[in-house]
Amino acid sequence: MPKQGQMTQISRPFQIALVALGLFVLVWFVALHGHNPGAGGSGSSAPGSTSAPGAPSAAAEAKAAAAPTSIYRGAAPGLAGLSRAIAKAHGAVAQSQRDAKRVETSDPSNPSGSAASTSVSAPASAASSATGASQAATTAHAKRPSSTTKPAVHTAPAMQTAVERELRQGKTVLVLFWDPRGADDVAVRRELPAVRHALGARVAVHYAFASQVGAFGTITHAVQVNQTPTLLVVNTHGQTTTLTGLADAFSIEQAVAESRRS
């Protein structure tokens, strides 16, 4: 009985304030429970997943949280402050839900971002392939031997060419290696014009010093000139007869006749 008397002493405005405080605490916990991403796994669910039957959707929760709460302006002390606090809590919940949606829309795992990166990497791959093909073509061109390179041509000595031309004309070629200081050399040289006059176009005569043996190329390749005068008689078949020492016109003509018959 004394306790009931004490309860009746609490004024009605204070009782209303206690009820409003309990209501505020209940709404606050409900709002935090609905916004917590780790509660029941609802925060980590993928966008677009089907909600459980009877559960309010995210859009409905956002709308309810964003709805303005009327502020109490009665005579009960403390209710106006409590209503303002509840309105602020609803506003905070709505702002947090809007921030969560912005984070979801800017998620880097969005397929459009992957498509963009793929479209950028494709030209880069094509450019890399074109560069590799260009380098391969340049390397192959560098290794390819030049078609303008000509093989080295070995030209025959001038005297060899002249003797070969005369042999093709059917002439017997006489080549005298002599020394102007030797008496026998000078004598043989004087006999050769008479031989050429007697045989006419059938012979061709050349004069050279002993140091000029190599100027005749393959004609004198197998011939050794150890003394002067030395006379070479070359027939049309390329066969060579050697006469050394003093020789007159008659002996030279006989050597030419025998060379032509061989």
Short mmCIF file of all heavy atoms in Angstrom, two decimals, residues 179-235:
data_model
loop_
_atom_site.label_atom_id
_atom_site.label_comp_id
_atom_site.label_asym_id
_atom_site.label_seq_id
_atom_site.Cartn_x
_atom_site.Cartn_y
_atom_site.Cartn_z
N ASP A 179 117.35 -11.59 -123.62
CA ASP A 179 118.06 -10.56 -122.87
C ASP A 179 118.81 -9.70 -123.87
O ASP A 179 119.66 -10.20 -124.62
CB ASP A 179 119.03 -11.19 -121.88
CG ASP A 179 119.69 -10.17 -120.95
OD1 ASP A 179 119.47 -8.95 -121.14
OD2 ASP A 179 120.40 -10.59 -120.02
N PRO A 180 118.52 -8.39 -123.93
CA PRO A 180 119.19 -7.54 -124.94
C PRO A 180 120.71 -7.51 -124.81
O PRO A 180 121.43 -7.16 -125.77
CB PRO A 180 118.59 -6.16 -124.69
CG PRO A 180 117.32 -6.40 -123.95
CD PRO A 180 117.56 -7.65 -123.14
N ARG A 181 121.24 -7.92 -123.67
CA ARG A 181 122.69 -7.88 -123.48
C ARG A 181 123.39 -9.14 -123.97
O ARG A 181 124.61 -9.21 -124.04
CB ARG A 181 122.98 -7.68 -121.99
CG ARG A 181 122.48 -6.32 -121.45
CD ARG A 181 122.57 -6.28 -119.93
NE ARG A 181 121.70 -7.28 -119.29
CZ ARG A 181 121.61 -7.46 -117.99
NH1 ARG A 181 122.31 -6.68 -117.16
NH2 ARG A 181 120.81 -8.40 -117.49
N GLY A 182 122.59 -10.17 -124.29
CA GLY A 182 123.21 -11.43 -124.75
C GLY A 182 123.33 -11.46 -126.27
O GLY A 182 122.37 -11.11 -126.98
N ALA A 183 124.49 -11.94 -126.78
CA ALA A 183 124.70 -12.00 -128.22
C ALA A 183 123.78 -13.02 -128.88
O ALA A 183 123.17 -12.75 -129.94
CB ALA A 183 126.16 -12.33 -128.52
N ASP A 184 123.62 -14.22 -128.29
CA ASP A 184 122.74 -15.23 -128.87
C ASP A 184 121.28 -14.75 -128.84
O ASP A 184 120.50 -15.03 -129.77
CB ASP A 184 122.85 -16.54 -128.09
CG ASP A 184 124.22 -17.19 -128.27
OD1 ASP A 184 124.94 -16.82 -129.22
OD2 ASP A 184 124.56 -18.07 -127.44
N ASP A 185 120.94 -14.02 -127.80
CA ASP A 185 119.57 -13.51 -127.70
C ASP A 185 119.29 -12.55 -128.86
O ASP A 185 118.23 -12.62 -129.50
CB ASP A 185 119.37 -12.77 -126.36
CG ASP A 185 119.61 -13.68 -125.16
OD1 ASP A 185 120.74 -14.12 -124.92
OD2 ASP A 185 118.63 -13.97 -124.44
N VAL A 186 120.25 -11.67 -129.11
CA VAL A 186 120.05 -10.70 -130.18
C VAL A 186 119.99 -11.41 -131.54
O VAL A 186 119.18 -11.07 -132.41
CB VAL A 186 121.18 -9.65 -130.16
CG1 VAL A 186 121.06 -8.71 -131.35
CG2 VAL A 186 121.13 -8.86 -128.86
N ALA A 187 120.81 -12.47 -131.72
CA ALA A 187 120.83 -13.18 -133.00
C ALA A 187 119.49 -13.89 -133.25
O ALA A 187 118.95 -13.87 -134.36
CB ALA A 187 121.97 -14.18 -133.00
N VAL A 188 118.96 -14.55 -132.26
CA VAL A 188 117.67 -15.24 -132.44
C VAL A 188 116.57 -14.22 -132.72
O VAL A 188 115.67 -14.47 -133.54
CB VAL A 188 117.34 -16.08 -131.20
CG1 VAL A 188 115.94 -16.68 -131.29
CG2 VAL A 188 118.38 -17.19 -131.01
N ARG A 189 116.63 -13.08 -132.06
CA ARG A 189 115.59 -12.08 -132.30
C ARG A 189 115.62 -11.59 -133.74
O ARG A 189 114.56 -11.30 -134.31
CB ARG A 189 115.76 -10.91 -131.34
CG ARG A 189 114.53 -9.99 -131.38
CD ARG A 189 114.63 -8.81 -130.52
NE ARG A 189 113.44 -8.01 -130.45
CZ ARG A 189 112.83 -7.43 -131.45
NH1 ARG A 189 113.22 -7.61 -132.69
NH2 ARG A 189 111.76 -6.66 -131.26
N ARG A 190 116.76 -11.51 -134.32
CA ARG A 190 116.86 -11.08 -135.71
C ARG A 190 116.33 -12.13 -136.70
O ARG A 190 115.92 -11.78 -137.80
CB ARG A 190 118.32 -10.74 -136.06
CG ARG A 190 118.83 -9.47 -135.37
CD ARG A 190 120.29 -9.25 -135.65
NE ARG A 190 120.79 -8.02 -135.00
CZ ARG A 190 122.06 -7.65 -135.03
NH1 ARG A 190 122.98 -8.43 -135.65
NH2 ARG A 190 122.44 -6.54 -134.44
N GLU A 191 116.32 -13.40 -136.31
CA GLU A 191 115.84 -14.47 -137.19
C GLU A 191 114.31 -14.55 -137.23
O GLU A 191 113.75 -15.04 -138.21
CB GLU A 191 116.40 -15.81 -136.75
CG GLU A 191 117.92 -15.93 -136.86
CD GLU A 191 118.39 -15.93 -138.30
OE1 GLU A 191 117.65 -16.49 -139.15
OE2 GLU A 191 119.46 -15.37 -138.58
N LEU A 192 113.65 -14.13 -136.18
CA LEU A 192 112.20 -14.30 -136.10
C LEU A 192 111.43 -13.50 -137.16
O LEU A 192 110.45 -14.02 -137.72
CB LEU A 192 111.70 -13.93 -134.70
CG LEU A 192 112.03 -14.96 -133.61
CD1 LEU A 192 111.57 -14.47 -132.24
CD2 LEU A 192 111.38 -16.30 -133.92
N PRO A 193 111.80 -12.28 -137.51
CA PRO A 193 111.06 -11.60 -138.59
C PRO A 193 111.11 -12.38 -139.91
O PRO A 193 110.12 -12.41 -140.64
CB PRO A 193 111.78 -10.25 -138.71
CG PRO A 193 112.34 -10.00 -137.36
CD PRO A 193 112.76 -11.34 -136.87
N ALA A 194 112.25 -13.04 -140.20
CA ALA A 194 112.34 -13.83 -141.44
C ALA A 194 111.39 -15.02 -141.37
O ALA A 194 110.75 -15.40 -142.36
CB ALA A 194 113.77 -14.29 -141.64
N VAL A 195 111.28 -15.65 -140.19
CA VAL A 195 110.35 -16.78 -140.05
C VAL A 195 108.90 -16.31 -140.25
O VAL A 195 108.11 -16.97 -140.93
CB VAL A 195 110.53 -17.43 -138.66
CG1 VAL A 195 109.47 -18.50 -138.42
CG2 VAL A 195 111.93 -18.01 -138.54
N ARG A 196 108.58 -15.20 -139.69
CA ARG A 196 107.21 -14.69 -139.85
C ARG A 196 106.94 -14.33 -141.31
O ARG A 196 105.83 -14.55 -141.80
CB ARG A 196 107.01 -13.47 -138.95
CG ARG A 196 105.59 -12.92 -138.98
CD ARG A 196 105.37 -11.88 -137.89
NE ARG A 196 106.36 -10.82 -137.99
CZ ARG A 196 106.47 -9.82 -137.11
NH1 ARG A 196 105.65 -9.78 -136.05
NH2 ARG A 196 107.40 -8.89 -137.25
N HIS A 197 107.95 -13.81 -141.97
CA HIS A 197 107.75 -13.48 -143.39
C HIS A 197 107.57 -14.75 -144.22
O HIS A 197 106.76 -14.77 -145.15
CB HIS A 197 108.97 -12.69 -143.90
CG HIS A 197 108.86 -12.33 -145.35
ND1 HIS A 197 108.00 -11.36 -145.83
CD2 HIS A 197 109.53 -12.84 -146.45
CE1 HIS A 197 108.12 -11.29 -147.14
NE2 HIS A 197 109.07 -12.19 -147.55
N ALA A 198 108.31 -15.80 -143.87
CA ALA A 198 108.21 -17.04 -144.65
C ALA A 198 106.89 -17.78 -144.39
O ALA A 198 106.29 -18.35 -145.31
CB ALA A 198 109.38 -17.95 -144.31
N LEU A 199 106.42 -17.80 -143.16
CA LEU A 199 105.20 -18.56 -142.83
C LEU A 199 103.93 -17.71 -142.92
O LEU A 199 102.83 -18.26 -142.92
CB LEU A 199 105.32 -19.17 -141.43
CG LEU A 199 106.49 -20.16 -141.25
CD1 LEU A 199 106.53 -20.68 -139.82
CD2 LEU A 199 106.35 -21.33 -142.23
N GLY A 200 104.08 -16.41 -142.95
CA GLY A 200 102.93 -15.54 -143.14
C GLY A 200 101.98 -15.56 -141.95
O GLY A 200 102.36 -15.54 -140.77
N ALA A 201 100.67 -15.67 -142.26
CA ALA A 201 99.61 -15.58 -141.25
C ALA A 201 99.51 -16.84 -140.42
O ALA A 201 98.68 -16.91 -139.50
CB ALA A 201 98.27 -15.28 -141.90
N ARG A 202 100.31 -17.86 -140.70
CA ARG A 202 100.22 -19.09 -139.93
C ARG A 202 100.90 -18.99 -138.58
O ARG A 202 100.76 -19.90 -137.74
CB ARG A 202 100.84 -20.25 -140.71
CG ARG A 202 100.02 -20.65 -141.93
CD ARG A 202 100.69 -21.76 -142.68
NE ARG A 202 101.96 -21.32 -143.27
CZ ARG A 202 102.77 -22.13 -143.96
NH1 ARG A 202 102.46 -23.40 -144.12
NH2 ARG A 202 103.89 -21.66 -144.48
N VAL A 203 101.68 -17.92 -138.32
CA VAL A 203 102.37 -17.77 -137.05
C VAL A 203 102.10 -16.38 -136.48
O VAL A 203 101.75 -15.44 -137.19
CB VAL A 203 103.90 -17.97 -137.21
CG1 VAL A 203 104.21 -19.40 -137.65
CG2 VAL A 203 104.49 -16.95 -138.17
N ALA A 204 102.28 -16.28 -135.12
CA ALA A 204 102.23 -15.01 -134.41
C ALA A 204 103.43 -14.98 -133.48
O ALA A 204 103.76 -15.97 -132.82
CB ALA A 204 100.94 -14.88 -133.61
N VAL A 205 104.12 -13.85 -133.41
CA VAL A 205 105.39 -13.73 -132.69
C VAL A 205 105.22 -12.72 -131.55
O VAL A 205 104.67 -11.63 -131.75
CB VAL A 205 106.53 -13.32 -133.62
CG1 VAL A 205 107.84 -13.22 -132.85
CG2 VAL A 205 106.66 -14.30 -134.78
N HIS A 206 105.77 -13.10 -130.35
CA HIS A 206 105.77 -12.21 -129.19
C HIS A 206 107.17 -12.22 -128.58
O HIS A 206 107.85 -13.25 -128.56
CB HIS A 206 104.75 -12.66 -128.14
CG HIS A 206 103.33 -12.61 -128.62
ND1 HIS A 206 102.57 -11.47 -128.64
CD2 HIS A 206 102.53 -13.61 -129.12
CE1 HIS A 206 101.36 -11.74 -129.11
NE2 HIS A 206 101.32 -13.05 -129.41
N TYR A 207 107.57 -11.04 -128.03
CA TYR A 207 108.87 -10.90 -127.40
C TYR A 207 108.65 -10.49 -125.94
O TYR A 207 107.82 -9.65 -125.62
CB TYR A 207 109.72 -9.83 -128.10
CG TYR A 207 109.88 -10.07 -129.59
CD1 TYR A 207 109.06 -9.41 -130.52
CD2 TYR A 207 110.87 -10.93 -130.08
CE1 TYR A 207 109.20 -9.63 -131.87
CE2 TYR A 207 111.02 -11.15 -131.44
CZ TYR A 207 110.18 -10.49 -132.32
OH TYR A 207 110.33 -10.71 -133.69
N ALA A 208 109.49 -11.09 -125.04
CA ALA A 208 109.36 -10.78 -123.61
C ALA A 208 110.68 -11.06 -122.93
O ALA A 208 111.51 -11.83 -123.43
CB ALA A 208 108.25 -11.60 -122.96
N PHE A 209 110.86 -10.40 -121.78
CA PHE A 209 112.05 -10.64 -120.97
C PHE A 209 111.80 -11.86 -120.07
O PHE A 209 110.68 -12.31 -119.88
CB PHE A 209 112.40 -9.42 -120.14
CG PHE A 209 112.69 -8.20 -120.97
CD1 PHE A 209 111.91 -7.06 -120.85
CD2 PHE A 209 113.76 -8.22 -121.86
CE1 PHE A 209 112.21 -5.94 -121.61
CE2 PHE A 209 114.06 -7.09 -122.63
CZ PHE A 209 113.27 -5.95 -122.51
N ALA A 210 112.88 -12.36 -119.50
CA ALA A 210 112.77 -13.56 -118.67
C ALA A 210 111.93 -13.30 -117.42
O ALA A 210 111.27 -14.21 -116.89
CB ALA A 210 114.16 -14.04 -118.26
N SER A 211 111.91 -12.08 -116.94
CA SER A 211 111.11 -11.73 -115.75
C SER A 211 109.62 -11.62 -116.06
O SER A 211 108.82 -11.44 -115.13
CB SER A 211 111.61 -10.40 -115.16
OG SER A 211 111.49 -9.36 -116.12
N GLN A 212 109.22 -11.74 -117.30
CA GLN A 212 107.82 -11.58 -117.69
C GLN A 212 107.14 -12.92 -118.00
O GLN A 212 106.14 -12.95 -118.68
CB GLN A 212 107.72 -10.66 -118.91
CG GLN A 212 108.21 -9.24 -118.64
CD GLN A 212 108.19 -8.38 -119.88
OE1 GLN A 212 108.35 -8.89 -121.01
NE2 GLN A 212 108.02 -7.08 -119.70
N VAL A 213 107.70 -13.99 -117.51
CA VAL A 213 107.10 -15.30 -117.79
C VAL A 213 105.68 -15.37 -117.23
O VAL A 213 104.76 -15.89 -117.87
CB VAL A 213 107.98 -16.41 -117.18
CG1 VAL A 213 107.32 -17.77 -117.36
CG2 VAL A 213 109.35 -16.41 -117.84
N GLY A 214 105.46 -14.84 -116.02
CA GLY A 214 104.13 -14.90 -115.41
C GLY A 214 103.08 -14.09 -116.13
O GLY A 214 101.88 -14.30 -115.90
N ALA A 215 103.47 -13.17 -117.03
CA ALA A 215 102.49 -12.35 -117.73
C ALA A 215 101.67 -13.15 -118.73
O ALA A 215 100.63 -12.68 -119.19
CB ALA A 215 103.20 -11.19 -118.44
N PHE A 216 102.11 -14.36 -119.07
CA PHE A 216 101.39 -15.19 -120.04
C PHE A 216 100.43 -16.18 -119.37
O PHE A 216 99.82 -16.99 -120.05
CB PHE A 216 102.39 -15.94 -120.93
CG PHE A 216 103.10 -15.04 -121.87
CD1 PHE A 216 104.25 -14.35 -121.48
CD2 PHE A 216 102.66 -14.87 -123.18
CE1 PHE A 216 104.92 -13.53 -122.35
CE2 PHE A 216 103.33 -14.04 -124.05
CZ PHE A 216 104.46 -13.35 -123.64
N GLY A 217 100.32 -16.13 -118.06
CA GLY A 217 99.33 -16.92 -117.36
C GLY A 217 99.51 -18.41 -117.53
O GLY A 217 100.60 -18.96 -117.34
N THR A 218 98.41 -19.10 -117.90
CA THR A 218 98.44 -20.55 -118.03
C THR A 218 99.26 -21.02 -119.23
O THR A 218 99.62 -22.20 -119.31
CB THR A 218 97.00 -21.07 -118.17
OG1 THR A 218 96.37 -20.47 -119.32
CG2 THR A 218 96.17 -20.76 -116.94
N ILE A 219 99.56 -20.13 -120.16
CA ILE A 219 100.35 -20.53 -121.34
C ILE A 219 101.74 -20.99 -120.91
O ILE A 219 102.29 -21.98 -121.42
CB ILE A 219 100.45 -19.38 -122.35
CG1 ILE A 219 99.04 -18.93 -122.79
CG2 ILE A 219 101.28 -19.78 -123.57
CD1 ILE A 219 98.23 -19.99 -123.45
N THR A 220 102.32 -20.31 -119.93
CA THR A 220 103.67 -20.64 -119.46
C THR A 220 103.64 -21.23 -118.05
O THR A 220 104.67 -21.21 -117.35
CB THR A 220 104.55 -19.37 -119.47
OG1 THR A 220 103.92 -18.36 -118.65
CG2 THR A 220 104.72 -18.83 -120.88
N HIS A 221 102.46 -21.74 -117.62
CA HIS A 221 102.34 -22.24 -116.25
C HIS A 221 103.28 -23.43 -115.99
O HIS A 221 103.86 -23.54 -114.91
CB HIS A 221 100.89 -22.66 -115.98
CG HIS A 221 100.65 -23.14 -114.59
ND1 HIS A 221 100.67 -22.30 -113.50
CD2 HIS A 221 100.43 -24.40 -114.10
CE1 HIS A 221 100.45 -23.01 -112.40
NE2 HIS A 221 100.30 -24.28 -112.73
N ALA A 222 103.43 -24.29 -116.96
CA ALA A 222 104.28 -25.48 -116.78
C ALA A 222 105.65 -25.33 -117.43
O ALA A 222 106.38 -26.32 -117.57
CB ALA A 222 103.57 -26.71 -117.36
N VAL A 223 106.00 -24.11 -117.82
CA VAL A 223 107.27 -23.87 -118.51
C VAL A 223 108.22 -23.17 -117.56
O VAL A 223 107.83 -22.21 -116.88
CB VAL A 223 107.06 -23.04 -119.78
CG1 VAL A 223 108.40 -22.73 -120.46
CG2 VAL A 223 106.15 -23.78 -120.74
N GLN A 224 109.46 -23.61 -117.52
CA GLN A 224 110.50 -22.96 -116.72
C GLN A 224 111.54 -22.36 -117.66
O GLN A 224 112.07 -23.05 -118.54
CB GLN A 224 111.18 -23.97 -115.79
CG GLN A 224 110.25 -24.52 -114.70
CD GLN A 224 110.97 -25.46 -113.77
OE1 GLN A 224 112.14 -25.81 -113.98
NE2 GLN A 224 110.30 -25.88 -112.71
N VAL A 225 111.77 -21.07 -117.47
CA VAL A 225 112.75 -20.35 -118.27
C VAL A 225 113.98 -20.15 -117.39
O VAL A 225 114.01 -19.27 -116.55
CB VAL A 225 112.20 -19.02 -118.78
CG1 VAL A 225 113.26 -18.27 -119.61
CG2 VAL A 225 110.94 -19.25 -119.61
N ASN A 226 114.98 -21.00 -117.57
CA ASN A 226 116.20 -20.94 -116.76
C ASN A 226 117.32 -20.15 -117.43
O ASN A 226 118.30 -19.78 -116.77
CB ASN A 226 116.69 -22.35 -116.44
CG ASN A 226 115.66 -23.14 -115.63
OD1 ASN A 226 114.99 -22.59 -114.75
ND2 ASN A 226 115.52 -24.44 -115.92
N GLN A 227 117.21 -19.93 -118.76
CA GLN A 227 118.25 -19.19 -119.48
C GLN A 227 117.63 -18.49 -120.67
O GLN A 227 116.51 -18.77 -121.06
CB GLN A 227 119.36 -20.13 -119.98
CG GLN A 227 118.87 -21.15 -121.00
CD GLN A 227 119.97 -22.05 -121.50
OE1 GLN A 227 120.93 -22.34 -120.77
NE2 GLN A 227 119.88 -22.51 -122.75
N THR A 228 118.37 -17.59 -121.23
CA THR A 228 117.96 -16.91 -122.46
C THR A 228 119.07 -17.08 -123.50
O THR A 228 120.24 -17.21 -123.12
CB THR A 228 117.74 -15.41 -122.17
OG1 THR A 228 118.94 -14.83 -121.65
CG2 THR A 228 116.58 -15.20 -121.22
N PRO A 229 118.68 -17.15 -124.76
CA PRO A 229 117.31 -17.06 -125.27
C PRO A 229 116.57 -18.39 -125.13
O PRO A 229 117.15 -19.45 -125.26
CB PRO A 229 117.51 -16.70 -126.73
CG PRO A 229 118.83 -17.32 -127.08
CD PRO A 229 119.68 -17.26 -125.87
N THR A 230 115.25 -18.31 -124.88
CA THR A 230 114.36 -19.47 -124.84
C THR A 230 113.15 -19.15 -125.72
O THR A 230 112.47 -18.14 -125.51
CB THR A 230 113.88 -19.76 -123.41
OG1 THR A 230 115.02 -20.10 -122.59
CG2 THR A 230 112.90 -20.92 -123.41
N LEU A 231 112.88 -20.02 -126.70
CA LEU A 231 111.80 -19.82 -127.65
C LEU A 231 110.72 -20.89 -127.40
O LEU A 231 111.03 -22.09 -127.41
CB LEU A 231 112.30 -19.91 -129.10
CG LEU A 231 111.24 -19.72 -130.19
CD1 LEU A 231 110.65 -18.30 -130.16
CD2 LEU A 231 111.84 -20.02 -131.57
N LEU A 232 109.48 -20.46 -127.22
CA LEU A 232 108.34 -21.37 -127.04
C LEU A 232 107.54 -21.42 -128.33
O LEU A 232 107.18 -20.38 -128.89
CB LEU A 232 107.43 -20.88 -125.89
CG LEU A 232 108.10 -20.69 -124.51
CD1 LEU A 232 107.05 -20.25 -123.49
CD2 LEU A 232 108.79 -21.97 -124.05
N VAL A 233 107.24 -22.65 -128.77
CA VAL A 233 106.42 -22.86 -129.97
C VAL A 233 105.14 -23.54 -129.49
O VAL A 233 105.15 -24.69 -129.05
CB VAL A 233 107.15 -23.74 -131.00
CG1 VAL A 233 106.29 -23.91 -132.25
CG2 VAL A 233 108.51 -23.14 -131.37
N VAL A 234 104.01 -22.82 -129.56
CA VAL A 234 102.72 -23.30 -129.04
C VAL A 234 101.80 -23.54 -130.23
O VAL A 234 101.52 -22.61 -131.01
CB VAL A 234 102.09 -22.27 -128.07
CG1 VAL A 234 100.82 -22.83 -127.44
CG2 VAL A 234 103.10 -21.85 -127.00
N ASN A 235 101.33 -24.81 -130.38
CA ASN A 235 100.43 -25.12 -131.49
C ASN A 235 98.97 -24.88 -131.08
O ASN A 235 98.67 -24.51 -129.95
CB ASN A 235 100.64 -26.55 -131.98
CG ASN A 235 100.31 -27.58 -130.90
OD1 ASN A 235 99.73 -27.27 -129.85
ND2 ASN A 235 100.70 -28.83 -131.14
#
